Amino acid sequence: MYHEKLETILHNIEKVMIGKRTVAELSIVSLLAQGHILLEDVPGVGKTMMVRALAKSVGAKFTRIQFTPDLLPSDVIGVSIYNPKELTFQFRPGPIMGNIILADEINRTSPKTQSSLLEGMEEGSVTVDGVTHRLARPFFVMATQNPIEYEGTYPLPEAQLDRFLLKMKMGYPNAKEELEVLNRIQHSPPIEDLEPVITLEELQALQKEVKNIVVDDKIKQYIVDLAGSTREHPNVYLGVSPRGSIALMKAAQAYAMLHGRDYVIPDDIQFLIPYIFSHRMILKSEAKYDGIEPEDVIERIVARTRVPVQRVAK
């Protein structure tokens, strides 16, 4: 039943997004695991459309924050305004008070404004003038950044990168997919006709149920071994923290549910690990000079780490 509901979300998103099933699956995985996504890609490949399609599919309130160098934290979380009639301060919520948030070009704003997202992403609340305000449930952030233009940008610090469950790219469509995009959008954008396929209450039930997906002790040990190898690898300056191990386990539970299983298998871990670990690692300078990427290191670690195998009774 859960698998069927998640498939309807995927099919709904694919009415808008052509050839981006993996991106759609990872977005749903992050939403189920109550995590957040950092989407790094060039402009115009459909990042905004992806988030809007996801929000519409689950009937969520969608808000967009366009990050600019002059954006202030109060522009994100809200501000208290004095009401002279009632002689009190009233809270005016900012755009973070939604269910699904697009933080567009997050690396174009100052670290102070970037950090205004941290409390919301980690704690599910924001504090203004000493008063804590709970955010809507569910709460999901997809932040984007352009990997090409670095002038006038503020790279996200490691502590903030670690708050994102996974990092991914969309990439350009192939010629056939791009032609299909033109055909679909010729008369009217498909996103305008998209209808919710599940309710927010059903989504929250799925988020609770995903925690019951079985993770065998051998799978947990496999995750620990993989994370530990990143800390000992000769090309890695800073390896994956325990938060990364937790993120991989939670994402694997969601990925298993998405594929109709109530248990995690090693294949889930191997598929997800580049998206979960790559932005949590810092390579040594000499490795960067040699053109080595975090994904290369992860691939080698996975190849040499013993895969847990279920013993079959004879």
Side-chain angles (χ1 to χ4, degrees):
M1 181 179 68
Y2 297 125
H3 173 64
E4 292 174 358
K5 287 183 179 181
L6 295 173
E7 277 292 326
T8 59
I9 300 175
L10 272 175
H11 292 321
N12 211 42
I13 293 174
E14 287 180 327
K15 293 177 182 178
V16 177
M17 304 301 298
I18 312 298
K20 301 297 180 186
R21 187 175 181 87
T22 298
V23 175
E25 285 188 349
L26 289 171
S27 299
I28 294 173
V29 163
S30 186
L31 186 59
L32 285 175
Q34 301 184 54
H36 309 283
I37 292 178
L38 180 61
L39 187 54
E40 186 176 72
D41 219 321
V42 296
V45 293
K47 299 187 292 291
T48 302
M49 198 66 67
M50 175 70 240
V51 192
R52 288 184 62 195
L54 181 62
K56 280 203 165 190
S57 297
V58 300
K61 179 183 177 182
F62 168 77
T63 60
R64 172 176 176 168
I65 308 172
Q66 183 65 51
F67 283 88
T68 57
D70 60 346
L71 199 72
L72 300 175
S74 58
D75 297 326
V76 175
I77 62 177
V79 64
S80 293
I81 298 178
Y82 183 69
N83 186 332
K85 291 184 179 179
E86 299 183 9
L87 304 178
T88 58
F89 284 91
Q90 295 180 343
F91 177 64
R92 297 288 179 88
I96 199 174
M97 298 292 181
N99 296 119
I100 294 183
I101 315 296
L102 173 62
D104 207 9
E105 294 190 293
I106 191 174
N107 59 331
R108 291 213 172 273
T109 196
S110 68
K112 185 176 182 179
T113 304
Q114 290 173 357
S115 66
S116 65
L117 276 176
L118 276 178
E119 183 185 2
M121 290 170 59
E122 192 71 17
E123 306 295 338
S125 62
V126 294
T127 303
V128 179
D129 294 334
V131 179
T132 299
H133 304 270
R134 299 295 301 176
L135 297 178
R137 284 285 184 263
F139 179 71
F140 170 75
V141 174
M142 183 176 285
T144 72
Q145 61 181 10
N146 185 347
I148 304 300
E149 297 177 359
Y150 290 105
E151 185 176 351
T153 63
Y154 303 85
L156 296 175
E158 286 70 26
Q160 191 162 340
L161 284 172
D162 204 26
R163 259 64 177 186
F164 289 97
L165 180 74
L166 57 88
K167 177 183 177 183
M168 63 180 180
K169 299 179 181 180
M170 294 192 71
Y172 288 114
N174 59 39
K176 183 179 179 181
E177 293 167 348
E178 193 165 359
L179 180 61
E180 179 63 21
V181 170
L182 297 181
N183 289 332
R184 290 194 186 185
I185 207 168
Q186 181 176 359
H187 299 293
S188 64
I191 189 70
E192 302 302 331
D193 300 323
L194 215 59
E195 296 291 337
V197 292
I198 69 169
T199 64
L200 282 181
E201 289 73 21
E202 289 175 314
L203 174 59
Q204 289 178 295
L206 289 171
Q207 289 178 330
K208 290 181 180 178
E209 186 62 31
V210 77
K211 298 177 182 178
N212 295 325
I213 299 295
V214 176
V215 186
D216 189 85
D217 288 343
K218 292 181 180 179
I219 297 292
K220 293 177 183 175
Q221 186 61 54
Y222 186 45
I223 294 173
V224 170
D225 291 344
L226 291 167
S229 295
T230 67
R231 302 164 198 161
E232 301 168 357
H233 198 279
N235 289 327
V236 178
Y237 173 72
L238 182 66
V240 174
S241 69
R243 184 186 282 131
S245 302
I246 295 170
L248 183 54
M249 183 183 71
K250 288 183 175 180
Q253 288 177 294
Y255 189 75
M257 175 185 275
L258 182 61
H259 287 81
R261 283 181 277 104
D262 60 359
Y263 56 91
V264 174
I265 60 176
D267 288 352
D268 300 334
I269 304 299
Q270 293 173 1
F271 172 76
L272 290 167
I273 189 171
Y275 303 103
I276 307 292
F277 277 10
S278 63
H279 62 291
R280 292 181 161 91
M281 296 166 50
I282 301 178
L283 300 186
K284 293 180 179 178
S285 300
E286 51 267 32
K288 295 178 182 178
Y289 293 147
D290 291 339
I292 298 174
E293 298 290 340
E295 290 81 2
D296 300 326
V297 175
I298 292 170
E299 184 179 356
R300 294 169 191 168
I301 288 174
V302 171
R304 75 183 189 190
T305 303
R306 183 177 177 275
V307 180
V309 179
Q310 182 68 40
R311 184 176 298 174
V312 179
K314 295 183 179 181

PDB file of all heavy atoms in Angstrom, residues 173-195:
ATOM      1  N   PRO A 173      19.105  17.154 -20.132  1.00  0.00           N
ATOM      2  CA  PRO A 173      18.384  16.039 -20.753  1.00  0.00           C
ATOM      3  C   PRO A 173      19.065  15.658 -22.067  1.00  0.00           C
ATOM      4  O   PRO A 173      19.794  16.464 -22.655  1.00  0.00           O
ATOM      5  CB  PRO A 173      16.994  16.632 -21.009  1.00  0.00           C
ATOM      6  CG  PRO A 173      17.249  18.105 -21.179  1.00  0.00           C
ATOM      7  CD  PRO A 173      18.387  18.434 -20.248  1.00  0.00           C
ATOM      8  N   ASN A 174      18.827  14.430 -22.534  1.00  0.00           N
ATOM      9  CA  ASN A 174      19.338  14.084 -23.859  1.00  0.00           C
ATOM     10  C   ASN A 174      18.421  14.682 -24.921  1.00  0.00           C
ATOM     11  O   ASN A 174      17.388  15.297 -24.595  1.00  0.00           O
ATOM     12  CB  ASN A 174      19.471  12.560 -24.015  1.00  0.00           C
ATOM     13  CG  ASN A 174      18.147  11.833 -23.823  1.00  0.00           C
ATOM     14  OD1 ASN A 174      17.090  12.302 -24.256  1.00  0.00           O
ATOM     15  ND2 ASN A 174      18.191  10.662 -23.181  1.00  0.00           N
ATOM     16  N   ALA A 175      18.779  14.516 -26.184  1.00  0.00           N
ATOM     17  CA  ALA A 175      18.044  15.170 -27.279  1.00  0.00           C
ATOM     18  C   ALA A 175      16.575  14.734 -27.316  1.00  0.00           C
ATOM     19  O   ALA A 175      15.667  15.558 -27.517  1.00  0.00           O
ATOM     20  CB  ALA A 175      18.729  14.872 -28.607  1.00  0.00           C
ATOM     21  N   LYS A 176      16.325  13.445 -27.099  1.00  0.00           N
ATOM     22  CA  LYS A 176      14.959  12.933 -27.140  1.00  0.00           C
ATOM     23  C   LYS A 176      14.133  13.505 -25.998  1.00  0.00           C
ATOM     24  O   LYS A 176      12.967  13.898 -26.191  1.00  0.00           O
ATOM     25  CB  LYS A 176      14.983  11.405 -27.071  1.00  0.00           C
ATOM     26  CG  LYS A 176      13.613  10.761 -27.182  1.00  0.00           C
ATOM     27  CD  LYS A 176      13.729   9.242 -27.134  1.00  0.00           C
ATOM     28  CE  LYS A 176      12.344   8.595 -27.224  1.00  0.00           C
ATOM     29  NZ  LYS A 176      12.438   7.115 -27.166  1.00  0.00           N
ATOM     30  N   GLU A 177      14.722  13.566 -24.811  1.00  0.00           N
ATOM     31  CA  GLU A 177      14.014  14.105 -23.646  1.00  0.00           C
ATOM     32  C   GLU A 177      13.739  15.593 -23.805  1.00  0.00           C
ATOM     33  O   GLU A 177      12.664  16.072 -23.461  1.00  0.00           O
ATOM     34  CB  GLU A 177      14.839  13.849 -22.380  1.00  0.00           C
ATOM     35  CG  GLU A 177      14.955  12.381 -22.004  1.00  0.00           C
ATOM     36  CD  GLU A 177      16.012  12.119 -20.960  1.00  0.00           C
ATOM     37  OE1 GLU A 177      16.816  13.035 -20.678  1.00  0.00           O
ATOM     38  OE2 GLU A 177      16.068  10.992 -20.425  1.00  0.00           O
ATOM     39  N   GLU A 178      14.707  16.320 -24.350  1.00  0.00           N
ATOM     40  CA  GLU A 178      14.522  17.763 -24.538  1.00  0.00           C
ATOM     41  C   GLU A 178      13.426  18.045 -25.562  1.00  0.00           C
ATOM     42  O   GLU A 178      12.650  18.999 -25.418  1.00  0.00           O
ATOM     43  CB  GLU A 178      15.837  18.411 -24.965  1.00  0.00           C
ATOM     44  CG  GLU A 178      15.816  19.926 -24.883  1.00  0.00           C
ATOM     45  CD  GLU A 178      17.197  20.549 -24.942  1.00  0.00           C
ATOM     46  OE1 GLU A 178      18.199  19.791 -25.024  1.00  0.00           O
ATOM     47  OE2 GLU A 178      17.288  21.796 -24.884  1.00  0.00           O
ATOM     48  N   LEU A 179      13.341  17.211 -26.590  1.00  0.00           N
ATOM     49  CA  LEU A 179      12.277  17.356 -27.584  1.00  0.00           C
ATOM     50  C   LEU A 179      10.919  17.115 -26.938  1.00  0.00           C
ATOM     51  O   LEU A 179       9.945  17.837 -27.210  1.00  0.00           O
ATOM     52  CB  LEU A 179      12.501  16.374 -28.735  1.00  0.00           C
ATOM     53  CG  LEU A 179      11.458  16.402 -29.869  1.00  0.00           C
ATOM     54  CD1 LEU A 179      11.421  17.783 -30.530  1.00  0.00           C
ATOM     55  CD2 LEU A 179      11.771  15.326 -30.899  1.00  0.00           C
ATOM     56  N   GLU A 180      10.846  16.122 -26.056  1.00  0.00           N
ATOM     57  CA  GLU A 180       9.597  15.839 -25.354  1.00  0.00           C
ATOM     58  C   GLU A 180       9.208  17.001 -24.438  1.00  0.00           C
ATOM     59  O   GLU A 180       8.020  17.324 -24.301  1.00  0.00           O
ATOM     60  CB  GLU A 180       9.737  14.550 -24.547  1.00  0.00           C
ATOM     61  CG  GLU A 180       8.497  14.154 -23.755  1.00  0.00           C
ATOM     62  CD  GLU A 180       7.301  13.851 -24.635  1.00  0.00           C
ATOM     63  OE1 GLU A 180       7.473  13.545 -25.837  1.00  0.00           O
ATOM     64  OE2 GLU A 180       6.167  13.945 -24.124  1.00  0.00           O
ATOM     65  N   VAL A 181      10.206  17.649 -23.833  1.00  0.00           N
ATOM     66  CA  VAL A 181       9.934  18.836 -23.005  1.00  0.00           C
ATOM     67  C   VAL A 181       9.275  19.922 -23.844  1.00  0.00           C
ATOM     68  O   VAL A 181       8.286  20.540 -23.432  1.00  0.00           O
ATOM     69  CB  VAL A 181      11.242  19.360 -22.370  1.00  0.00           C
ATOM     70  CG1 VAL A 181      10.986  20.720 -21.713  1.00  0.00           C
ATOM     71  CG2 VAL A 181      11.771  18.379 -21.339  1.00  0.00           C
ATOM     72  N   LEU A 182       9.815  20.177 -25.034  1.00  0.00           N
ATOM     73  CA  LEU A 182       9.248  21.200 -25.916  1.00  0.00           C
ATOM     74  C   LEU A 182       7.819  20.857 -26.321  1.00  0.00           C
ATOM     75  O   LEU A 182       6.946  21.735 -26.365  1.00  0.00           O
ATOM     76  CB  LEU A 182      10.120  21.347 -27.170  1.00  0.00           C
ATOM     77  CG  LEU A 182      11.561  21.827 -26.960  1.00  0.00           C
ATOM     78  CD1 LEU A 182      12.278  21.950 -28.300  1.00  0.00           C
ATOM     79  CD2 LEU A 182      11.600  23.155 -26.219  1.00  0.00           C
ATOM     80  N   ASN A 183       7.566  19.590 -26.619  1.00  0.00           N
ATOM     81  CA  ASN A 183       6.220  19.178 -27.024  1.00  0.00           C
ATOM     82  C   ASN A 183       5.217  19.366 -25.893  1.00  0.00           C
ATOM     83  O   ASN A 183       4.081  19.804 -26.121  1.00  0.00           O
ATOM     84  CB  ASN A 183       6.231  17.707 -27.464  1.00  0.00           C
ATOM     85  CG  ASN A 183       6.953  17.506 -28.788  1.00  0.00           C
ATOM     86  OD1 ASN A 183       7.005  18.417 -29.623  1.00  0.00           O
ATOM     87  ND2 ASN A 183       7.515  16.321 -28.988  1.00  0.00           N
ATOM     88  N   ARG A 184       5.633  19.043 -24.678  1.00  0.00           N
ATOM     89  CA  ARG A 184       4.705  19.136 -23.548  1.00  0.00           C
ATOM     90  C   ARG A 184       4.409  20.565 -23.152  1.00  0.00           C
ATOM     91  O   ARG A 184       3.315  20.884 -22.681  1.00  0.00           O
ATOM     92  CB  ARG A 184       5.266  18.380 -22.341  1.00  0.00           C
ATOM     93  CG  ARG A 184       5.277  16.876 -22.507  1.00  0.00           C
ATOM     94  CD  ARG A 184       5.515  16.177 -21.174  1.00  0.00           C
ATOM     95  NE  ARG A 184       5.679  14.744 -21.322  1.00  0.00           N
ATOM     96  CZ  ARG A 184       5.796  13.895 -20.311  1.00  0.00           C
ATOM     97  NH1 ARG A 184       5.776  14.352 -19.063  1.00  0.00           N
ATOM     98  NH2 ARG A 184       5.945  12.606 -20.515  1.00  0.00           N
ATOM     99  N   ILE A 185       5.382  21.449 -23.323  1.00  0.00           N
ATOM    100  CA  ILE A 185       5.228  22.820 -22.823  1.00  0.00           C
ATOM    101  C   ILE A 185       4.720  23.774 -23.905  1.00  0.00           C
ATOM    102  O   ILE A 185       4.491  24.955 -23.640  1.00  0.00           O
ATOM    103  CB  ILE A 185       6.568  23.323 -22.243  1.00  0.00           C
ATOM    104  CG1 ILE A 185       6.336  24.381 -21.155  1.00  0.00           C
ATOM    105  CG2 ILE A 185       7.475  23.864 -23.344  1.00  0.00           C
ATOM    106  CD1 ILE A 185       7.563  24.706 -20.353  1.00  0.00           C
ATOM    107  N   GLN A 186       4.520  23.263 -25.131  1.00  0.00           N
ATOM    108  CA  GLN A 186       4.162  24.126 -26.265  1.00  0.00           C
ATOM    109  C   GLN A 186       2.877  24.914 -26.020  1.00  0.00           C
ATOM    110  O   GLN A 186       2.794  26.107 -26.300  1.00  0.00           O
ATOM    111  CB  GLN A 186       4.022  23.284 -27.532  1.00  0.00           C
ATOM    112  CG  GLN A 186       3.676  24.107 -28.775  1.00  0.00           C
ATOM    113  CD  GLN A 186       3.648  23.253 -30.031  1.00  0.00           C
ATOM    114  OE1 GLN A 186       3.903  22.053 -29.986  1.00  0.00           O
ATOM    115  NE2 GLN A 186       3.339  23.880 -31.148  1.00  0.00           N
ATOM    116  N   HIS A 187       1.864  24.257 -25.479  1.00  0.00           N
ATOM    117  CA  HIS A 187       0.570  24.921 -25.311  1.00  0.00           C
ATOM    118  C   HIS A 187       0.378  25.475 -23.897  1.00  0.00           C
ATOM    119  O   HIS A 187      -0.074  26.610 -23.730  1.00  0.00           O
ATOM    120  CB  HIS A 187      -0.556  23.946 -25.658  1.00  0.00           C
ATOM    121  CG  HIS A 187      -0.497  23.462 -27.077  1.00  0.00           C
ATOM    122  ND1 HIS A 187      -0.719  24.280 -28.158  1.00  0.00           N
ATOM    123  CD2 HIS A 187      -0.197  22.231 -27.587  1.00  0.00           C
ATOM    124  CE1 HIS A 187      -0.587  23.591 -29.287  1.00  0.00           C
ATOM    125  NE2 HIS A 187      -0.263  22.342 -28.966  1.00  0.00           N
ATOM    126  N   SER A 188       0.722  24.680 -22.901  1.00  0.00           N
ATOM    127  CA  SER A 188       0.631  25.171 -21.523  1.00  0.00           C
ATOM    128  C   SER A 188       1.544  24.324 -20.655  1.00  0.00           C
ATOM    129  O   SER A 188       1.670  23.109 -20.879  1.00  0.00           O
ATOM    130  CB  SER A 188      -0.801  25.095 -20.992  1.00  0.00           C
ATOM    131  OG  SER A 188      -1.239  23.756 -20.921  1.00  0.00           O
ATOM    132  N   PRO A 189       2.195  24.936 -19.651  1.00  0.00           N
ATOM    133  CA  PRO A 189       3.097  24.178 -18.779  1.00  0.00           C
ATOM    134  C   PRO A 189       2.340  23.083 -18.031  1.00  0.00           C
ATOM    135  O   PRO A 189       1.310  23.361 -17.409  1.00  0.00           O
ATOM    136  CB  PRO A 189       3.622  25.246 -17.814  1.00  0.00           C
ATOM    137  CG  PRO A 189       3.397  26.547 -18.504  1.00  0.00           C
ATOM    138  CD  PRO A 189       2.161  26.362 -19.326  1.00  0.00           C
ATOM    139  N   PRO A 190       2.817  21.839 -18.068  1.00  0.00           N
ATOM    140  CA  PRO A 190       2.131  20.736 -17.373  1.00  0.00           C
ATOM    141  C   PRO A 190       2.006  20.955 -15.873  1.00  0.00           C
ATOM    142  O   PRO A 190       1.091  20.420 -15.247  1.00  0.00           O
ATOM    143  CB  PRO A 190       3.021  19.522 -17.676  1.00  0.00           C
ATOM    144  CG  PRO A 190       3.887  19.911 -18.815  1.00  0.00           C
ATOM    145  CD  PRO A 190       4.022  21.394 -18.782  1.00  0.00           C
ATOM    146  N   ILE A 191       2.914  21.748 -15.291  1.00  0.00           N
ATOM    147  CA  ILE A 191       2.886  21.971 -13.848  1.00  0.00           C
ATOM    148  C   ILE A 191       1.577  22.629 -13.404  1.00  0.00           C
ATOM    149  O   ILE A 191       1.106  22.410 -12.284  1.00  0.00           O
ATOM    150  CB  ILE A 191       4.103  22.849 -13.411  1.00  0.00           C
ATOM    151  CG1 ILE A 191       4.216  22.921 -11.885  1.00  0.00           C
ATOM    152  CG2 ILE A 191       4.014  24.230 -14.023  1.00  0.00           C
ATOM    153  CD1 ILE A 191       4.636  21.653 -11.234  1.00  0.00           C
ATOM    154  N   GLU A 192       0.964  23.404 -14.294  1.00  0.00           N
ATOM    155  CA  GLU A 192      -0.267  24.114 -13.940  1.00  0.00           C
ATOM    156  C   GLU A 192      -1.438  23.160 -13.749  1.00  0.00           C
ATOM    157  O   GLU A 192      -2.395  23.477 -13.036  1.00  0.00           O
ATOM    158  CB  GLU A 192      -0.599  25.149 -15.021  1.00  0.00           C
ATOM    159  CG  GLU A 192       0.490  26.186 -15.270  1.00  0.00           C
ATOM    160  CD  GLU A 192       0.855  26.974 -14.017  1.00  0.00           C
ATOM    161  OE1 GLU A 192      -0.020  27.146 -13.141  1.00  0.00           O
ATOM    162  OE2 GLU A 192       2.022  27.420 -13.912  1.00  0.00           O
ATOM    163  N   ASP A 193      -1.407  22.010 -14.404  1.00  0.00           N
ATOM    164  CA  ASP A 193      -2.511  21.057 -14.319  1.00  0.00           C
ATOM    165  C   ASP A 193      -2.256  19.944 -13.310  1.00  0.00           C
ATOM    166  O   ASP A 193      -3.085  19.038 -13.161  1.00  0.00           O
ATOM    167  CB  ASP A 193      -2.768  20.425 -15.698  1.00  0.00           C
ATOM    168  CG  ASP A 193      -3.128  21.470 -16.747  1.00  0.00           C
ATOM    169  OD1 ASP A 193      -3.831  22.434 -16.399  1.00  0.00           O
ATOM    170  OD2 ASP A 193      -2.686  21.329 -17.909  1.00  0.00           O
ATOM    171  N   LEU A 194      -1.128  20.013 -12.618  1.00  0.00           N
ATOM    172  CA  LEU A 194      -0.772  18.953 -11.681  1.00  0.00           C
ATOM    173  C   LEU A 194      -1.663  19.015 -10.442  1.00  0.00           C
ATOM    174  O   LEU A 194      -1.878  20.089  -9.887  1.00  0.00           O
ATOM    175  CB  LEU A 194       0.697  19.085 -11.280  1.00  0.00           C
ATOM    176  CG  LEU A 194       1.488  17.795 -11.040  1.00  0.00           C
ATOM    177  CD1 LEU A 194       1.497  16.931 -12.292  1.00  0.00           C
ATOM    178  CD2 LEU A 194       2.913  18.122 -10.626  1.00  0.00           C
ATOM    179  N   GLU A 195      -2.174  17.863 -10.028  1.00  0.00           N
ATOM    180  CA  GLU A 195      -3.057  17.773  -8.869  1.00  0.00           C
ATOM    181  C   GLU A 195      -2.414  16.910  -7.788  1.00  0.00           C
ATOM    182  O   GLU A 195      -1.632  16.005  -8.093  1.00  0.00           O
ATOM    183  CB  GLU A 195      -4.408  17.170  -9.268  1.00  0.00           C
ATOM    184  CG  GLU A 195      -5.213  18.010 -10.258  1.00  0.00           C
ATOM    185  CD  GLU A 195      -5.735  19.296  -9.644  1.00  0.00           C
ATOM    186  OE1 GLU A 195      -5.869  19.342  -8.402  1.00  0.00           O
ATOM    187  OE2 GLU A 195      -6.004  20.242 -10.413  1.00  0.00           O
TER     188      GLU A 195
END
